[in-house]
Amino acid sequence: MPELPEVDALVEFLRPKVSGDFVTRTDVGELSILKTVDPPLEALAGLEITGVARSGKALIIEFEGLELVCRFARAGWIVWHDLVPTGPVKMGKGPLGLRVHLASGAGFDLSEAGTKKNASVSLVHDRAEVAAVAGAGPDALWIEANEFSRLLAGSRSRIKTVLEDQEIITGIGNAYSDEILHTAKISPFAPASGVDAPELLDVIRGVLGAARETLTGLPPSKVKAAKKRGLRVHGRTGQTCPVCGSTIAEVSYTDKSLQYCPGCQTDGKKLSDRRMDRLLK
Ligand SMILES: [Zn+2]
């Protein structure tokens, strides 16, 4: 799932390419992607793109008086075209969710791999009309230390859960929360209320900031692979920790898994893998 650093890289890529250009047409490839009906997508035709921004993990294309809010879910992303294909779009077939044509001849798609279609597009007057944006907590890069301390102190959840909860702090998902906790040498299962918040916040800024620097300047098609290359524990079960040499372990859930280093994060102890526990009973 695209997280803050990847979406920031996307914003930096798109901004100079689309700002000042005009939308000529939009094609919908997947009806369920569109979450709003009024104003209709056709309202974008003829409008100038005035800016590109990020809110949490969402990408926002800005127009005078309108905002196109794109949420990527797990497998959605932007495909950029220097020359956008103008042929008809086949509905419900393939990854194309929405195609935006620009007056320059360029354009971009919101596409989503796989069979689960969870990416979404909302055309609204203000991004705050999108519940997930309005209900999001402060941005992971800009939250103040005292506010972060207060949020952690008041939590009864595990730190991994808190970092991924967009209503508490927005921008971090499964991959970068694994990376952040590995760098901070904190167990993903540690109670959030016991964590040194200012210290963890420094790590959050460091990990997200470094990822942003690595990914910014890359075209959207290269971002995912570059993100993977930069990860030290996430998705690396069974590999060697680059910090301490231990074998990276994982905890599996029904639809996802987390990775951690027992040497760096849990005093060598293995965390309970619920799926495995159930199988062994
Ligand atoms: Zn380690």
Side-chain angles (χ1 to χ4, degrees):
M1 174 184 283
E3 301 175 40
L4 181 160
E6 298 135 277
V7 181
D8 268 349
L10 188 58
V11 168
E12 295 301 322
F13 174 87
L14 284 176
R15 188 180 284 139
K17 287 196 181 288
V18 305
S19 298
D21 208 341
F22 291 80
V23 174
T24 53
R25 181 177 123 198
T26 52
D27 300 329
V28 175
E30 174 60 53
L31 262 187
S32 68
I33 203 168
L34 194 61
K35 301 302 174 200
T36 50
V37 289
D38 183 29
L41 268 186
E42 292 73 33
L44 289 179
L47 291 191
E48 180 183 359
I49 296 178
T50 54
V52 183
R54 174 184 65 79
S55 175
K57 296 192 254 184
L59 172 77
I60 300 173
I61 311 287
E62 299 167 336
F63 303 85
E64 197 68 56
L66 285 176
E67 297 191 311
L68 190 68
V69 179
C70 305
R71 301 179 63 227
F72 297 116
R74 189 169 287 195
W77 195 234
I78 293 290
V79 176
W80 174 257
H81 302 284
D82 286 329
L83 204 59
V84 70
T86 52
V89 159
K90 285 192 189 124
M91 273 278 212
K93 294 212 169 106
L96 179 66
L98 174 74
R99 174 165 289 160
V100 177
H101 299 250
L102 301 173
S104 61
F108 56 91
D109 302 340
L110 172 53
S111 81
E112 188 174 23
T115 48
K116 275 191 186 162
K117 299 298 178 190
N118 295 322
S120 71
V121 170
S122 307
L123 182 60
V124 289
H125 294 288
D126 187 300
R127 64 196 72 179
E129 293 168 50
V130 179
V133 173
D139 193 86
L141 272 185
W142 309 119
I143 188 170
E144 304 266 354
N146 53 3
E147 188 174 11
F148 190 55
S149 300
R150 189 178 54 75
L151 288 172
L152 292 197
S155 171
R156 301 175 73 174
S157 303
R158 291 165 168 171
I159 187 64
K160 166 85 175 170
T161 310
V162 170
L163 290 182
E164 284 187 279
D165 187 339
Q166 303 304 299
E167 291 182 13
I168 298 177
I169 170 173
T170 183
I172 302 171
N174 195 19
Y176 286 112
S177 57
D178 279 354
E179 295 301 305
I180 287 162
L181 292 173
H182 176 250
T183 302
K185 298 191 188 305
I186 295 172
S187 165
F189 286 2
S193 56
V195 167
D196 185 323
E199 232 175 85
L200 179 58
L201 188 57
D202 278 346
V203 174
I204 289 173
R205 288 174 178 157
V207 168
L208 297 180
R212 245 173 141 206
E213 245 168 64
T214 307
L215 302 179
T216 298
L218 295 176
S221 59
K222 304 264 190 222
V223 167
K224 195 175 175 185
K227 174 194 184 183
K228 272 194 170 170
R229 279 197 301 277
L231 300 174
R232 301 198 298 175
V233 284
H234 184 77
R236 300 200 180 277
T237 308
Q239 297 181 29
T240 302
C241 169
V243 176
C244 75
S246 302
T247 303
I248 291 162
E250 77 170 18
V251 181
S252 299
Y253 301 92
T254 327
D255 59 345
K256 64 175 192 175
S257 60
L258 68 82
Q259 281 79 35
Y260 67 100
C261 169
C264 292
Q265 294 173 260
T266 58
D267 297 325
K269 286 198 275 291
K270 284 270 269 187
L271 297 173
S272 165
D273 183 324
R274 288 183 198 174
R275 187 181 62 179
M276 289 307 292
D277 286 352
R278 208 162 43 233
L279 288 174
L280 293 172
K281 262 178 199 165

mmCIF file of all heavy atoms in Angstrom, residues 40-86:
data_model
loop_
_atom_site.group_PDB
_atom_site.id
_atom_site.type_symbol
_atom_site.label_atom_id
_atom_site.label_comp_id
_atom_site.label_asym_id
_atom_site.label_seq_id
_atom_site.Cartn_x
_atom_site.Cartn_y
_atom_site.Cartn_z
ATOM 1 N N PRO A 40 -20.594 15.702 -11.176
ATOM 2 C CA PRO A 40 -20.168 14.569 -12.003
ATOM 3 C C PRO A 40 -18.746 14.766 -12.509
ATOM 4 O O PRO A 40 -18.258 15.896 -12.573
ATOM 5 C CB PRO A 40 -21.157 14.599 -13.171
ATOM 6 C CG PRO A 40 -21.586 16.022 -13.261
ATOM 7 C CD PRO A 40 -21.552 16.574 -11.861
ATOM 8 N N LEU A 41 -18.088 13.675 -12.874
ATOM 9 C CA LEU A 41 -16.719 13.751 -13.386
ATOM 10 C C LEU A 41 -16.609 14.655 -14.613
ATOM 11 O O LEU A 41 -15.585 15.308 -14.828
ATOM 12 C CB LEU A 41 -16.230 12.350 -13.779
ATOM 13 C CG LEU A 41 -15.490 11.513 -12.744
ATOM 14 C CD1 LEU A 41 -14.985 10.240 -13.397
ATOM 15 C CD2 LEU A 41 -14.323 12.288 -12.125
ATOM 16 N N GLU A 42 -17.690 14.685 -15.385
ATOM 17 C CA GLU A 42 -17.685 15.507 -16.614
ATOM 18 C C GLU A 42 -17.422 16.980 -16.293
ATOM 19 O O GLU A 42 -16.979 17.746 -17.153
ATOM 20 C CB GLU A 42 -19.011 15.381 -17.369
ATOM 21 C CG GLU A 42 -19.284 14.020 -17.989
ATOM 22 C CD GLU A 42 -19.649 12.947 -16.968
ATOM 23 O OE1 GLU A 42 -20.282 13.287 -15.943
ATOM 24 O OE2 GLU A 42 -19.281 11.770 -17.168
ATOM 25 N N ALA A 43 -17.689 17.366 -15.040
ATOM 26 C CA ALA A 43 -17.469 18.762 -14.638
ATOM 27 C C ALA A 43 -15.996 19.147 -14.751
ATOM 28 O O ALA A 43 -15.652 20.338 -14.794
ATOM 29 C CB ALA A 43 -17.969 18.974 -13.207
ATOM 30 N N LEU A 44 -15.105 18.153 -14.789
ATOM 31 C CA LEU A 44 -13.672 18.457 -14.857
ATOM 32 C C LEU A 44 -13.240 18.912 -16.252
ATOM 33 O O LEU A 44 -12.217 19.592 -16.399
ATOM 34 C CB LEU A 44 -12.851 17.220 -14.464
ATOM 35 C CG LEU A 44 -12.895 16.822 -12.991
ATOM 36 C CD1 LEU A 44 -12.049 15.572 -12.767
ATOM 37 C CD2 LEU A 44 -12.387 17.962 -12.106
ATOM 38 N N ALA A 45 -13.991 18.516 -17.275
ATOM 39 C CA ALA A 45 -13.599 18.854 -18.643
ATOM 40 C C ALA A 45 -13.506 20.368 -18.804
ATOM 41 O O ALA A 45 -14.437 21.100 -18.480
ATOM 42 C CB ALA A 45 -14.600 18.273 -19.636
ATOM 43 N N GLY A 46 -12.346 20.821 -19.253
ATOM 44 C CA GLY A 46 -12.135 22.258 -19.450
ATOM 45 C C GLY A 46 -11.521 22.960 -18.256
ATOM 46 O O GLY A 46 -11.140 24.127 -18.352
ATOM 47 N N LEU A 47 -11.397 22.258 -17.135
ATOM 48 C CA LEU A 47 -10.846 22.908 -15.934
ATOM 49 C C LEU A 47 -9.317 22.811 -15.894
ATOM 50 O O LEU A 47 -8.724 21.817 -16.310
ATOM 51 C CB LEU A 47 -11.409 22.272 -14.668
ATOM 52 C CG LEU A 47 -12.887 22.487 -14.361
ATOM 53 C CD1 LEU A 47 -13.192 22.012 -12.939
ATOM 54 C CD2 LEU A 47 -13.285 23.956 -14.524
ATOM 55 N N GLU A 48 -8.716 23.857 -15.335
ATOM 56 C CA GLU A 48 -7.265 23.896 -15.169
ATOM 57 C C GLU A 48 -6.858 23.224 -13.853
ATOM 58 O O GLU A 48 -7.501 23.454 -12.816
ATOM 59 C CB GLU A 48 -6.791 25.356 -15.165
ATOM 60 C CG GLU A 48 -5.279 25.482 -15.000
ATOM 61 C CD GLU A 48 -4.803 26.929 -14.930
ATOM 62 O OE1 GLU A 48 -5.651 27.852 -15.036
ATOM 63 O OE2 GLU A 48 -3.591 27.131 -14.756
ATOM 64 N N ILE A 49 -5.811 22.429 -13.901
ATOM 65 C CA ILE A 49 -5.256 21.864 -12.663
ATOM 66 C C ILE A 49 -4.410 22.951 -12.007
ATOM 67 O O ILE A 49 -3.468 23.473 -12.600
ATOM 68 C CB ILE A 49 -4.412 20.603 -12.950
ATOM 69 C CG1 ILE A 49 -5.317 19.511 -13.539
ATOM 70 C CG2 ILE A 49 -3.727 20.113 -11.673
ATOM 71 C CD1 ILE A 49 -4.568 18.228 -13.918
ATOM 72 N N THR A 50 -4.769 23.288 -10.773
ATOM 73 C CA THR A 50 -4.082 24.391 -10.095
ATOM 74 C C THR A 50 -3.019 23.894 -9.108
ATOM 75 O O THR A 50 -2.171 24.659 -8.662
ATOM 76 C CB THR A 50 -5.085 25.275 -9.350
ATOM 77 O OG1 THR A 50 -5.859 24.431 -8.471
ATOM 78 C CG2 THR A 50 -6.020 25.978 -10.315
ATOM 79 N N GLY A 51 -3.092 22.608 -8.749
ATOM 80 C CA GLY A 51 -2.092 22.099 -7.819
ATOM 81 C C GLY A 51 -2.243 20.611 -7.588
ATOM 82 O O GLY A 51 -3.219 19.996 -8.021
ATOM 83 N N VAL A 52 -1.235 20.038 -6.920
ATOM 84 C CA VAL A 52 -1.248 18.619 -6.557
ATOM 85 C C VAL A 52 -0.777 18.539 -5.120
ATOM 86 O O VAL A 52 0.205 19.199 -4.752
ATOM 87 C CB VAL A 52 -0.308 17.798 -7.464
ATOM 88 C CG1 VAL A 52 -0.378 16.316 -7.123
ATOM 89 C CG2 VAL A 52 -0.635 18.002 -8.935
ATOM 90 N N ALA A 53 -1.476 17.764 -4.294
ATOM 91 C CA ALA A 53 -1.130 17.722 -2.881
ATOM 92 C C ALA A 53 -1.320 16.316 -2.325
ATOM 93 O O ALA A 53 -1.883 15.439 -2.984
ATOM 94 C CB ALA A 53 -2.004 18.700 -2.099
ATOM 95 N N ARG A 54 -0.831 16.123 -1.108
ATOM 96 C CA ARG A 54 -1.045 14.872 -0.393
ATOM 97 C C ARG A 54 -1.781 15.151 0.904
ATOM 98 O O ARG A 54 -1.525 16.153 1.564
ATOM 99 C CB ARG A 54 0.309 14.212 -0.056
ATOM 100 C CG ARG A 54 0.183 12.962 0.816
ATOM 101 C CD ARG A 54 1.538 12.397 1.214
ATOM 102 N NE ARG A 54 2.314 13.274 2.077
ATOM 103 C CZ ARG A 54 2.113 13.420 3.386
ATOM 104 N NH1 ARG A 54 1.159 12.747 4.004
ATOM 105 N NH2 ARG A 54 2.863 14.251 4.097
ATOM 106 N N SER A 55 -2.711 14.261 1.245
ATOM 107 C CA SER A 55 -3.315 14.310 2.572
ATOM 108 C C SER A 55 -3.267 12.890 3.115
ATOM 109 O O SER A 55 -3.934 12.008 2.589
ATOM 110 C CB SER A 55 -4.750 14.819 2.493
ATOM 111 O OG SER A 55 -5.344 14.753 3.771
ATOM 112 N N GLY A 56 -2.466 12.643 4.133
ATOM 113 C CA GLY A 56 -2.273 11.279 4.622
ATOM 114 C C GLY A 56 -1.679 10.433 3.519
ATOM 115 O O GLY A 56 -0.606 10.732 2.996
ATOM 116 N N LYS A 57 -2.395 9.381 3.120
ATOM 117 C CA LYS A 57 -1.929 8.531 2.033
ATOM 118 C C LYS A 57 -2.694 8.825 0.742
ATOM 119 O O LYS A 57 -2.575 8.098 -0.235
ATOM 120 C CB LYS A 57 -2.102 7.057 2.424
ATOM 121 C CG LYS A 57 -1.241 6.658 3.636
ATOM 122 C CD LYS A 57 -1.206 5.148 3.824
ATOM 123 C CE LYS A 57 -2.066 4.742 4.996
ATOM 124 N NZ LYS A 57 -1.987 3.286 5.262
ATOM 125 N N ALA A 58 -3.509 9.871 0.755
ATOM 126 C CA ALA A 58 -4.317 10.212 -0.428
ATOM 127 C C ALA A 58 -3.617 11.247 -1.292
ATOM 128 O O ALA A 58 -2.870 12.100 -0.800
ATOM 129 C CB ALA A 58 -5.680 10.731 0.013
ATOM 130 N N LEU A 59 -3.869 11.161 -2.601
ATOM 131 C CA LEU A 59 -3.359 12.137 -3.573
ATOM 132 C C LEU A 59 -4.513 13.058 -3.937
ATOM 133 O O LEU A 59 -5.629 12.604 -4.177
ATOM 134 C CB LEU A 59 -2.877 11.402 -4.822
ATOM 135 C CG LEU A 59 -2.490 12.288 -6.018
ATOM 136 C CD1 LEU A 59 -1.126 12.921 -5.790
ATOM 137 C CD2 LEU A 59 -2.471 11.473 -7.315
ATOM 138 N N ILE A 60 -4.234 14.354 -3.991
ATOM 139 C CA ILE A 60 -5.297 15.295 -4.308
ATOM 140 C C ILE A 60 -4.904 16.154 -5.506
ATOM 141 O O ILE A 60 -3.854 16.806 -5.500
ATOM 142 C CB ILE A 60 -5.623 16.187 -3.092
ATOM 143 C CG1 ILE A 60 -6.066 15.275 -1.935
ATOM 144 C CG2 ILE A 60 -6.712 17.203 -3.433
ATOM 145 C CD1 ILE A 60 -6.268 15.959 -0.639
ATOM 146 N N ILE A 61 -5.730 16.108 -6.553
ATOM 147 C CA ILE A 61 -5.542 16.961 -7.717
ATOM 148 C C ILE A 61 -6.472 18.146 -7.524
ATOM 149 O O ILE A 61 -7.688 17.976 -7.348
ATOM 150 C CB ILE A 61 -5.910 16.218 -9.033
ATOM 151 C CG1 ILE A 61 -5.239 14.828 -9.092
ATOM 152 C CG2 ILE A 61 -5.565 17.070 -10.245
ATOM 153 C CD1 ILE A 61 -3.766 14.828 -9.347
ATOM 154 N N GLU A 62 -5.882 19.347 -7.551
ATOM 155 C CA GLU A 62 -6.659 20.546 -7.201
ATOM 156 C C GLU A 62 -7.069 21.346 -8.432
ATOM 157 O O GLU A 62 -6.274 21.523 -9.372
ATOM 158 C CB GLU A 62 -5.815 21.433 -6.270
ATOM 159 C CG GLU A 62 -5.436 20.733 -4.974
ATOM 160 C CD GLU A 62 -4.349 21.459 -4.177
ATOM 161 O OE1 GLU A 62 -3.571 22.229 -4.793
ATOM 162 O OE2 GLU A 62 -4.273 21.254 -2.962
ATOM 163 N N PHE A 63 -8.313 21.820 -8.400
ATOM 164 C CA PHE A 63 -8.859 22.693 -9.431
ATOM 165 C C PHE A 63 -9.455 23.912 -8.730
ATOM 166 O O PHE A 63 -9.623 23.918 -7.511
ATOM 167 C CB PHE A 63 -9.972 21.976 -10.205
ATOM 168 C CG PHE A 63 -9.540 20.673 -10.831
ATOM 169 C CD1 PHE A 63 -9.559 19.491 -10.091
ATOM 170 C CD2 PHE A 63 -9.107 20.631 -12.145
ATOM 171 C CE1 PHE A 63 -9.147 18.285 -10.662
ATOM 172 C CE2 PHE A 63 -8.703 19.439 -12.721
ATOM 173 C CZ PHE A 63 -8.718 18.265 -11.974
ATOM 174 N N GLU A 64 -9.799 24.909 -9.514
ATOM 175 C CA GLU A 64 -10.487 26.065 -8.925
ATOM 176 C C GLU A 64 -11.858 25.593 -8.427
ATOM 177 O O GLU A 64 -12.724 25.266 -9.231
ATOM 178 C CB GLU A 64 -10.652 27.148 -10.010
ATOM 179 C CG GLU A 64 -10.968 28.529 -9.472
ATOM 180 C CD GLU A 64 -9.796 29.125 -8.707
ATOM 181 O OE1 GLU A 64 -8.691 29.226 -9.293
ATOM 182 O OE2 GLU A 64 -9.995 29.481 -7.530
ATOM 183 N N GLY A 65 -12.009 25.480 -7.107
ATOM 184 C CA GLY A 65 -13.317 25.122 -6.552
ATOM 185 C C GLY A 65 -13.626 23.636 -6.504
ATOM 186 O O GLY A 65 -14.684 23.246 -6.002
ATOM 187 N N LEU A 66 -12.748 22.790 -7.022
ATOM 188 C CA LEU A 66 -12.990 21.339 -6.977
ATOM 189 C C LEU A 66 -11.693 20.606 -6.611
ATOM 190 O O LEU A 66 -10.591 21.095 -6.889
ATOM 191 C CB LEU A 66 -13.472 20.817 -8.333
ATOM 192 C CG LEU A 66 -14.923 21.103 -8.749
ATOM 193 C CD1 LEU A 66 -15.171 20.588 -10.162
ATOM 194 C CD2 LEU A 66 -15.916 20.470 -7.779
ATOM 195 N N GLU A 67 -11.858 19.437 -6.007
ATOM 196 C CA GLU A 67 -10.693 18.608 -5.686
ATOM 197 C C GLU A 67 -10.997 17.150 -6.026
ATOM 198 O O GLU A 67 -12.069 16.641 -5.701
ATOM 199 C CB GLU A 67 -10.337 18.736 -4.200
ATOM 200 C CG GLU A 67 -9.941 20.159 -3.838
ATOM 201 C CD GLU A 67 -9.318 20.303 -2.457
ATOM 202 O OE1 GLU A 67 -9.893 19.776 -1.479
ATOM 203 O OE2 GLU A 67 -8.260 20.944 -2.373
ATOM 204 N N LEU A 68 -10.052 16.514 -6.702
ATOM 205 C CA LEU A 68 -10.172 15.105 -7.037
ATOM 206 C C LEU A 68 -9.301 14.344 -6.037
ATOM 207 O O LEU A 68 -8.073 14.447 -6.066
ATOM 208 C CB LEU A 68 -9.694 14.869 -8.470
ATOM 209 C CG LEU A 68 -9.957 13.491 -9.065
ATOM 210 C CD1 LEU A 68 -11.453 13.257 -9.291
ATOM 211 C CD2 LEU A 68 -9.209 13.323 -10.390
ATOM 212 N N VAL A 69 -9.960 13.612 -5.130
ATOM 213 C CA VAL A 69 -9.239 12.907 -4.069
ATOM 214 C C VAL A 69 -9.075 11.446 -4.476
ATOM 215 O O VAL A 69 -10.066 10.738 -4.670
ATOM 216 C CB VAL A 69 -10.009 13.008 -2.733
ATOM 217 C CG1 VAL A 69 -9.274 12.248 -1.626
ATOM 218 C CG2 VAL A 69 -10.203 14.477 -2.341
ATOM 219 N N CYS A 70 -7.828 11.000 -4.642
ATOM 220 C CA CYS A 70 -7.541 9.623 -5.063
ATOM 221 C C CYS A 70 -6.976 8.851 -3.885
ATOM 222 O O CYS A 70 -5.961 9.247 -3.309
ATOM 223 C CB CYS A 70 -6.512 9.605 -6.190
ATOM 224 S SG CYS A 70 -6.952 10.595 -7.613
ATOM 225 N N ARG A 71 -7.637 7.756 -3.550
ATOM 226 C CA ARG A 71 -7.128 6.892 -2.476
ATOM 227 C C ARG A 71 -6.747 5.558 -3.095
ATOM 228 O O ARG A 71 -7.526 4.973 -3.837
ATOM 229 C CB ARG A 71 -8.183 6.759 -1.374
ATOM 230 C CG ARG A 71 -8.532 8.156 -0.797
ATOM 231 C CD ARG A 71 -9.586 8.086 0.278
ATOM 232 N NE ARG A 71 -9.086 7.320 1.396
ATOM 233 C CZ ARG A 71 -9.791 6.355 2.004
ATOM 234 N NH1 ARG A 71 -10.983 6.041 1.575
ATOM 235 N NH2 ARG A 71 -9.273 5.704 3.018
ATOM 236 N N PHE A 72 -5.550 5.083 -2.760
ATOM 237 C CA PHE A 72 -4.976 3.967 -3.516
ATOM 238 C C PHE A 72 -5.288 2.585 -2.944
ATOM 239 O O PHE A 72 -5.079 1.590 -3.617
ATOM 240 C CB PHE A 72 -3.456 4.142 -3.621
ATOM 241 C CG PHE A 72 -3.072 5.381 -4.373
ATOM 242 C CD1 PHE A 72 -2.388 6.422 -3.754
ATOM 243 C CD2 PHE A 72 -3.419 5.514 -5.705
ATOM 244 C CE1 PHE A 72 -2.037 7.563 -4.453
ATOM 245 C CE2 PHE A 72 -3.076 6.657 -6.414
ATOM 246 C CZ PHE A 72 -2.387 7.687 -5.781
ATOM 247 N N ALA A 73 -5.740 2.509 -1.693
ATOM 248 C CA ALA A 73 -5.942 1.209 -1.035
ATOM 249 C C ALA A 73 -4.650 0.391 -1.146
ATOM 250 O O ALA A 73 -3.560 0.961 -1.191
ATOM 251 C CB ALA A 73 -7.136 0.464 -1.612
ATOM 252 N N ARG A 74 -4.752 -0.914 -1.265
ATOM 253 C CA ARG A 74 -3.547 -1.718 -1.207
ATOM 254 C C ARG A 74 -2.769 -1.722 -2.527
ATOM 255 O O ARG A 74 -1.543 -1.694 -2.544
ATOM 256 C CB ARG A 74 -3.900 -3.151 -0.805
ATOM 257 C CG ARG A 74 -2.677 -3.995 -0.521
ATOM 258 C CD ARG A 74 -3.027 -5.300 0.124
ATOM 259 N NE ARG A 74 -3.423 -5.126 1.518
ATOM 260 C CZ ARG A 74 -3.508 -6.125 2.380
ATOM 261 N NH1 ARG A 74 -3.242 -7.344 1.992
ATOM 262 N NH2 ARG A 74 -3.867 -5.906 3.631
ATOM 263 N N ALA A 75 -3.476 -1.772 -3.630
ATOM 264 C CA ALA A 75 -2.782 -2.049 -4.895
ATOM 265 C C ALA A 75 -2.999 -0.982 -5.967
ATOM 266 O O ALA A 75 -2.706 -1.205 -7.132
ATOM 267 C CB ALA A 75 -3.210 -3.416 -5.419
ATOM 268 N N GLY A 76 -3.508 0.168 -5.563
ATOM 269 C CA GLY A 76 -3.728 1.223 -6.543
ATOM 270 C C GLY A 76 -2.495 2.100 -6.712
ATOM 271 O O GLY A 76 -1.671 2.222 -5.806
ATOM 272 N N TRP A 77 -2.357 2.708 -7.898
ATOM 273 C CA TRP A 77 -1.232 3.615 -8.135
ATOM 274 C C TRP A 77 -1.516 4.436 -9.386
ATOM 275 O O TRP A 77 -2.480 4.149 -10.113
ATOM 276 C CB TRP A 77 0.076 2.836 -8.262
ATOM 277 C CG TRP A 77 1.331 3.656 -8.149
ATOM 278 C CD1 TRP A 77 2.360 3.695 -9.046
ATOM 279 C CD2 TRP A 77 1.708 4.550 -7.086
ATOM 280 N NE1 TRP A 77 3.350 4.550 -8.595
ATOM 281 C CE2 TRP A 77 2.967 5.091 -7.406
ATOM 282 C CE3 TRP A 77 1.075 4.950 -5.895
ATOM 283 C CZ2 TRP A 77 3.631 6.018 -6.581
ATOM 284 C CZ3 TRP A 77 1.727 5.871 -5.076
ATOM 285 C CH2 TRP A 77 2.987 6.387 -5.422
ATOM 286 N N ILE A 78 -0.668 5.411 -9.646
ATOM 287 C CA ILE A 78 -0.826 6.247 -10.835
ATOM 288 C C ILE A 78 0.092 5.740 -11.949
ATOM 289 O O ILE A 78 1.260 5.436 -11.717
ATOM 290 C CB ILE A 78 -0.468 7.719 -10.508
ATOM 291 C CG1 ILE A 78 -1.492 8.333 -9.531
ATOM 292 C CG2 ILE A 78 -0.366 8.558 -11.785
ATOM 293 C CD1 ILE A 78 -2.871 8.591 -10.098
ATOM 294 N N VAL A 79 -0.464 5.658 -13.146
ATOM 295 C CA VAL A 79 0.331 5.363 -14.340
ATOM 296 C C VAL A 79 0.356 6.644 -15.174
ATOM 297 O O VAL A 79 -0.689 7.187 -15.516
ATOM 298 C CB VAL A 79 -0.300 4.219 -15.163
ATOM 299 C CG1 VAL A 79 0.486 3.988 -16.458
ATOM 300 C CG2 VAL A 79 -0.367 2.932 -14.338
ATOM 301 N N TRP A 80 1.562 7.123 -15.448
ATOM 302 C CA TRP A 80 1.708 8.367 -16.200
ATOM 303 C C TRP A 80 1.873 8.087 -17.686
ATOM 304 O O TRP A 80 2.554 7.130 -18.080
ATOM 305 C CB TRP A 80 2.925 9.155 -15.696
ATOM 306 C CG TRP A 80 3.197 10.364 -16.539
ATOM 307 C CD1 TRP A 80 4.170 10.514 -17.476
ATOM 308 C CD2 TRP A 80 2.445 11.581 -16.537
ATOM 309 N NE1 TRP A 80 4.081 11.749 -18.055
ATOM 310 C CE2 TRP A 80 3.029 12.426 -17.505
ATOM 311 C CE3 TRP A 80 1.332 12.039 -15.817
ATOM 312 C CZ2 TRP A 80 2.548 13.703 -17.767
ATOM 313 C CZ3 TRP A 80 0.848 13.310 -16.076
ATOM 314 C CH2 TRP A 80 1.455 14.129 -17.043
ATOM 315 N N HIS A 81 1.250 8.890 -18.538
ATOM 316 C CA HIS A 81 1.417 8.774 -19.992
ATOM 317 C C HIS A 81 1.892 10.118 -20.548
ATOM 318 O O HIS A 81 1.172 11.113 -20.410
ATOM 319 C CB HIS A 81 0.077 8.454 -20.676
ATOM 320 C CG HIS A 81 -0.579 7.196 -20.184
ATOM 321 N ND1 HIS A 81 -0.147 5.940 -20.548
ATOM 322 C CD2 HIS A 81 -1.642 7.007 -19.356
ATOM 323 C CE1 HIS A 81 -0.931 5.023 -19.978
ATOM 324 N NE2 HIS A 81 -1.836 5.643 -19.249
ATOM 325 N N ASP A 82 3.069 10.141 -21.186
ATOM 326 C CA ASP A 82 3.472 11.356 -21.909
ATOM 327 C C ASP A 82 2.488 11.616 -23.037
ATOM 328 O O ASP A 82 2.217 12.766 -23.388
ATOM 329 C CB ASP A 82 4.885 11.193 -22.487
ATOM 330 C CG ASP A 82 5.950 11.294 -21.391
ATOM 331 O OD1 ASP A 82 5.713 12.025 -20.398
ATOM 332 O OD2 ASP A 82 6.993 10.636 -21.519
ATOM 333 N N LEU A 83 1.979 10.532 -23.601
ATOM 334 C CA LEU A 83 0.954 10.619 -24.635
ATOM 335 C C LEU A 83 -0.155 9.658 -24.213
ATOM 336 O O LEU A 83 0.016 8.447 -24.287
ATOM 337 C CB LEU A 83 1.558 10.212 -25.982
ATOM 338 C CG LEU A 83 0.864 10.759 -27.230
ATOM 339 C CD1 LEU A 83 0.850 12.293 -27.229
ATOM 340 C CD2 LEU A 83 1.561 10.250 -28.481
ATOM 341 N N VAL A 84 -1.250 10.196 -23.761
ATOM 342 C CA VAL A 84 -2.300 9.335 -23.184
ATOM 343 C C VAL A 84 -3.064 8.606 -24.307
ATOM 344 O O VAL A 84 -3.374 9.213 -25.335
ATOM 345 C CB VAL A 84 -3.249 10.172 -22.283
ATOM 346 C CG1 VAL A 84 -4.115 11.120 -23.091
ATOM 347 C CG2 VAL A 84 -4.106 9.277 -21.405
ATOM 348 N N PRO A 85 -3.310 7.303 -24.154
ATOM 349 C CA PRO A 85 -4.077 6.576 -25.180
ATOM 350 C C PRO A 85 -5.486 7.175 -25.303
ATOM 351 O O PRO A 85 -6.123 7.459 -24.291
ATOM 352 C CB PRO A 85 -4.161 5.151 -24.620
ATOM 353 C CG PRO A 85 -3.075 5.056 -23.606
ATOM 354 C CD PRO A 85 -2.911 6.439 -23.050
ATOM 355 N N THR A 86 -5.923 7.379 -26.541
ATOM 356 C CA THR A 86 -7.217 8.054 -26.725
ATOM 357 C C THR A 86 -8.337 7.096 -27.113
ATOM 358 O O THR A 86 -9.480 7.498 -27.234
ATOM 359 C CB THR A 86 -7.114 9.148 -27.813
ATOM 360 O OG1 THR A 86 -6.534 8.557 -28.983
ATOM 361 C CG2 THR A 86 -6.258 10.299 -27.341
#
